Each structure stands twice: as C-alpha cells, then as structure tokens.
Amino acid sequence: MYRAAPEYSSKGTPYISIIPDEAIVESLPQKTFTKEDLVLDNHVYKNCQLDHCRVFYSGGPFELIDTHITNSELVLNQPAKNIYAAIQIFRTKSPSSRIAD
C-alpha cells in the first residue's frame, strides 16, 4: 500500500511519500553517520546527519526527511546511472527543454 496522503516533517514542511510501505527496509531516525557507506534504496532517513559519507543509489524508492548531507559523495549504480546519463544527454542536446516529473 502506498502512503499518498500529505505528511509533515518535524519542521512542519509538508511532503508526500511515494514509497510503498512494504518497500521500506529500514527507517533510520535521528542518527549521525560519519565516513560511512550508506544505501538510499528502500530506506527512510529522518532527522539524520550524513557527513563525509558515500551514498549509493540504484534507483529504488527512498526518503530524506529533515536530513542534512555535507561533504558526501553520491554514487550512482545501475539503473540510476543510466537515468542520470539520459538526463545529461537530454539537457545537452536540448537546453531549452525541460524534464517532466
């Protein structure tokens, strides 16, 4: 089941989750990660701090709620790497066009 109703972060910012409840592997509330390798796919990071981390992403659902990321590296795996390449090519070939969400 998808959570599609508006929710609110601890700062009162509204957001809508499109992650199916069964897709969430782990919810990580209020934790500081320093110099760690982390995975975005199927995770919810809530009120977290990521500092000098390598964050791996393959294209699966995730949420970052009131989470701050500093001096970290986003590592794209397949198929996210292909999506990023397609976006870059599209922007280069047609800079006045937009990418619909």
Side-chain angles (χ1 to χ4, degrees), residues 85-99:
I87 290 169
Q88 294 305 320
I89 290 168
F90 187 81
R91 286 186 173 160
T92 302
K93 300 288 183 187
S94 183
S96 63
S97 296
R98 68 180 194 89
I99 298 170

PDB file of all heavy atoms in Angstrom, residues 85-99:
ATOM      1  N   ALA A  85      22.621   9.611 -17.021  1.00  0.00           N
ATOM      2  CA  ALA A  85      23.220   9.829 -18.342  1.00  0.00           C
ATOM      3  C   ALA A  85      22.181  10.342 -19.330  1.00  0.00           C
ATOM      4  O   ALA A  85      22.451  11.259 -20.115  1.00  0.00           O
ATOM      5  CB  ALA A  85      23.855   8.537 -18.860  1.00  0.00           C
ATOM      6  N   ALA A  86      20.976   9.771 -19.297  1.00  0.00           N
ATOM      7  CA  ALA A  86      19.909  10.225 -20.200  1.00  0.00           C
ATOM      8  C   ALA A  86      19.538  11.680 -19.925  1.00  0.00           C
ATOM      9  O   ALA A  86      19.339  12.465 -20.862  1.00  0.00           O
ATOM     10  CB  ALA A  86      18.680   9.324 -20.049  1.00  0.00           C
ATOM     11  N   ILE A  87      19.477  12.062 -18.666  1.00  0.00           N
ATOM     12  CA  ILE A  87      19.163  13.453 -18.311  1.00  0.00           C
ATOM     13  C   ILE A  87      20.253  14.389 -18.817  1.00  0.00           C
ATOM     14  O   ILE A  87      19.971  15.448 -19.390  1.00  0.00           O
ATOM     15  CB  ILE A  87      18.972  13.594 -16.782  1.00  0.00           C
ATOM     16  CG1 ILE A  87      17.689  12.891 -16.359  1.00  0.00           C
ATOM     17  CG2 ILE A  87      18.955  15.065 -16.363  1.00  0.00           C
ATOM     18  CD1 ILE A  87      17.539  12.730 -14.860  1.00  0.00           C
ATOM     19  N   GLN A  88      21.512  14.019 -18.635  1.00  0.00           N
ATOM     20  CA  GLN A  88      22.619  14.860 -19.090  1.00  0.00           C
ATOM     21  C   GLN A  88      22.606  15.020 -20.609  1.00  0.00           C
ATOM     22  O   GLN A  88      22.814  16.116 -21.132  1.00  0.00           O
ATOM     23  CB  GLN A  88      23.961  14.292 -18.619  1.00  0.00           C
ATOM     24  CG  GLN A  88      24.145  14.312 -17.125  1.00  0.00           C
ATOM     25  CD  GLN A  88      23.961  15.688 -16.526  1.00  0.00           C
ATOM     26  OE1 GLN A  88      24.384  16.683 -17.077  1.00  0.00           O
ATOM     27  NE2 GLN A  88      23.298  15.756 -15.395  1.00  0.00           N
ATOM     28  N   ILE A  89      22.369  13.933 -21.334  1.00  0.00           N
ATOM     29  CA  ILE A  89      22.313  13.997 -22.800  1.00  0.00           C
ATOM     30  C   ILE A  89      21.150  14.870 -23.239  1.00  0.00           C
ATOM     31  O   ILE A  89      21.287  15.717 -24.126  1.00  0.00           O
ATOM     32  CB  ILE A  89      22.212  12.576 -23.396  1.00  0.00           C
ATOM     33  CG1 ILE A  89      23.542  11.851 -23.202  1.00  0.00           C
ATOM     34  CG2 ILE A  89      21.827  12.618 -24.871  1.00  0.00           C
ATOM     35  CD1 ILE A  89      23.478  10.362 -23.493  1.00  0.00           C
ATOM     36  N   PHE A  90      19.985  14.697 -22.607  1.00  0.00           N
ATOM     37  CA  PHE A  90      18.813  15.486 -22.968  1.00  0.00           C
ATOM     38  C   PHE A  90      19.076  16.968 -22.752  1.00  0.00           C
ATOM     39  O   PHE A  90      18.752  17.798 -23.590  1.00  0.00           O
ATOM     40  CB  PHE A  90      17.606  15.020 -22.152  1.00  0.00           C
ATOM     41  CG  PHE A  90      16.310  15.651 -22.572  1.00  0.00           C
ATOM     42  CD1 PHE A  90      15.617  15.159 -23.663  1.00  0.00           C
ATOM     43  CD2 PHE A  90      15.794  16.735 -21.885  1.00  0.00           C
ATOM     44  CE1 PHE A  90      14.416  15.727 -24.055  1.00  0.00           C
ATOM     45  CE2 PHE A  90      14.605  17.310 -22.268  1.00  0.00           C
ATOM     46  CZ  PHE A  90      13.906  16.810 -23.361  1.00  0.00           C
ATOM     47  N   ARG A  91      19.675  17.320 -21.620  1.00  0.00           N
ATOM     48  CA  ARG A  91      19.968  18.737 -21.325  1.00  0.00           C
ATOM     49  C   ARG A  91      20.991  19.312 -22.299  1.00  0.00           C
ATOM     50  O   ARG A  91      20.922  20.471 -22.674  1.00  0.00           O
ATOM     51  CB  ARG A  91      20.454  18.890 -19.892  1.00  0.00           C
ATOM     52  CG  ARG A  91      19.356  18.737 -18.892  1.00  0.00           C
ATOM     53  CD  ARG A  91      19.837  19.048 -17.496  1.00  0.00           C
ATOM     54  NE  ARG A  91      18.702  19.055 -16.585  1.00  0.00           N
ATOM     55  CZ  ARG A  91      18.795  18.919 -15.287  1.00  0.00           C
ATOM     56  NH1 ARG A  91      19.988  18.767 -14.738  1.00  0.00           N
ATOM     57  NH2 ARG A  91      17.731  18.938 -14.534  1.00  0.00           N
ATOM     58  N   THR A  92      21.965  18.522 -22.713  1.00  0.00           N
ATOM     59  CA  THR A  92      22.984  18.985 -23.654  1.00  0.00           C
ATOM     60  C   THR A  92      22.397  19.181 -25.046  1.00  0.00           C
ATOM     61  O   THR A  92      22.650  20.184 -25.709  1.00  0.00           O
ATOM     62  CB  THR A  92      24.135  17.978 -23.726  1.00  0.00           C
ATOM     63  OG1 THR A  92      24.692  17.812 -22.420  1.00  0.00           O
ATOM     64  CG2 THR A  92      25.226  18.444 -24.676  1.00  0.00           C
ATOM     65  N   LYS A  93      21.596  18.234 -25.495  1.00  0.00           N
ATOM     66  CA  LYS A  93      21.031  18.277 -26.849  1.00  0.00           C
ATOM     67  C   LYS A  93      19.896  19.279 -26.971  1.00  0.00           C
ATOM     68  O   LYS A  93      19.620  19.779 -28.049  1.00  0.00           O
ATOM     69  CB  LYS A  93      20.515  16.892 -27.257  1.00  0.00           C
ATOM     70  CG  LYS A  93      21.563  15.813 -27.271  1.00  0.00           C
ATOM     71  CD  LYS A  93      22.497  15.989 -28.420  1.00  0.00           C
ATOM     72  CE  LYS A  93      23.512  14.840 -28.455  1.00  0.00           C
ATOM     73  NZ  LYS A  93      24.533  15.048 -29.437  1.00  0.00           N
ATOM     74  N   SER A  94      19.216  19.567 -25.858  1.00  0.00           N
ATOM     75  CA  SER A  94      18.052  20.457 -25.907  1.00  0.00           C
ATOM     76  C   SER A  94      17.986  21.281 -24.625  1.00  0.00           C
ATOM     77  O   SER A  94      17.126  21.066 -23.769  1.00  0.00           O
ATOM     78  CB  SER A  94      16.781  19.626 -26.082  1.00  0.00           C
ATOM     79  OG  SER A  94      15.669  20.466 -26.201  1.00  0.00           O
ATOM     80  N   PRO A  95      18.896  22.266 -24.462  1.00  0.00           N
ATOM     81  CA  PRO A  95      18.962  23.016 -23.216  1.00  0.00           C
ATOM     82  C   PRO A  95      17.694  23.805 -22.868  1.00  0.00           C
ATOM     83  O   PRO A  95      17.450  24.112 -21.713  1.00  0.00           O
ATOM     84  CB  PRO A  95      20.148  23.960 -23.402  1.00  0.00           C
ATOM     85  CG  PRO A  95      20.608  23.803 -24.790  1.00  0.00           C
ATOM     86  CD  PRO A  95      19.907  22.650 -25.410  1.00  0.00           C
ATOM     87  N   SER A  96      16.878  24.127 -23.872  1.00  0.00           N
ATOM     88  CA  SER A  96      15.661  24.902 -23.582  1.00  0.00           C
ATOM     89  C   SER A  96      14.486  23.997 -23.197  1.00  0.00           C
ATOM     90  O   SER A  96      13.428  24.486 -22.811  1.00  0.00           O
ATOM     91  CB  SER A  96      15.277  25.753 -24.791  1.00  0.00           C
ATOM     92  OG  SER A  96      14.973  24.922 -25.890  1.00  0.00           O
ATOM     93  N   SER A  97      14.664  22.694 -23.307  1.00  0.00           N
ATOM     94  CA  SER A  97      13.601  21.764 -22.952  1.00  0.00           C
ATOM     95  C   SER A  97      13.633  21.501 -21.453  1.00  0.00           C
ATOM     96  O   SER A  97      14.576  21.853 -20.757  1.00  0.00           O
ATOM     97  CB  SER A  97      13.779  20.444 -23.702  1.00  0.00           C
ATOM     98  OG  SER A  97      13.649  20.650 -25.086  1.00  0.00           O
ATOM     99  N   ARG A  98      12.566  20.871 -20.973  1.00  0.00           N
ATOM    100  CA  ARG A  98      12.519  20.544 -19.548  1.00  0.00           C
ATOM    101  C   ARG A  98      12.278  19.058 -19.377  1.00  0.00           C
ATOM    102  O   ARG A  98      11.791  18.374 -20.276  1.00  0.00           O
ATOM    103  CB  ARG A  98      11.436  21.354 -18.830  1.00  0.00           C
ATOM    104  CG  ARG A  98      10.034  21.004 -19.201  1.00  0.00           C
ATOM    105  CD  ARG A  98       9.034  21.875 -18.418  1.00  0.00           C
ATOM    106  NE  ARG A  98       7.704  21.332 -18.530  1.00  0.00           N
ATOM    107  CZ  ARG A  98       7.178  20.437 -17.712  1.00  0.00           C
ATOM    108  NH1 ARG A  98       7.871  19.993 -16.694  1.00  0.00           N
ATOM    109  NH2 ARG A  98       5.947  19.989 -17.873  1.00  0.00           N
ATOM    110  N   ILE A  99      12.600  18.563 -18.215  1.00  0.00           N
ATOM    111  CA  ILE A  99      12.376  17.163 -17.900  1.00  0.00           C
ATOM    112  C   ILE A  99      11.149  17.106 -16.994  1.00  0.00           C
ATOM    113  O   ILE A  99      11.129  17.696 -15.923  1.00  0.00           O
ATOM    114  CB  ILE A  99      13.605  16.563 -17.208  1.00  0.00           C
ATOM    115  CG1 ILE A  99      14.798  16.631 -18.161  1.00  0.00           C
ATOM    116  CG2 ILE A  99      13.338  15.138 -16.752  1.00  0.00           C
ATOM    117  CD1 ILE A  99      16.106  16.296 -17.545  1.00  0.00           C
TER     118      ILE A  99
END
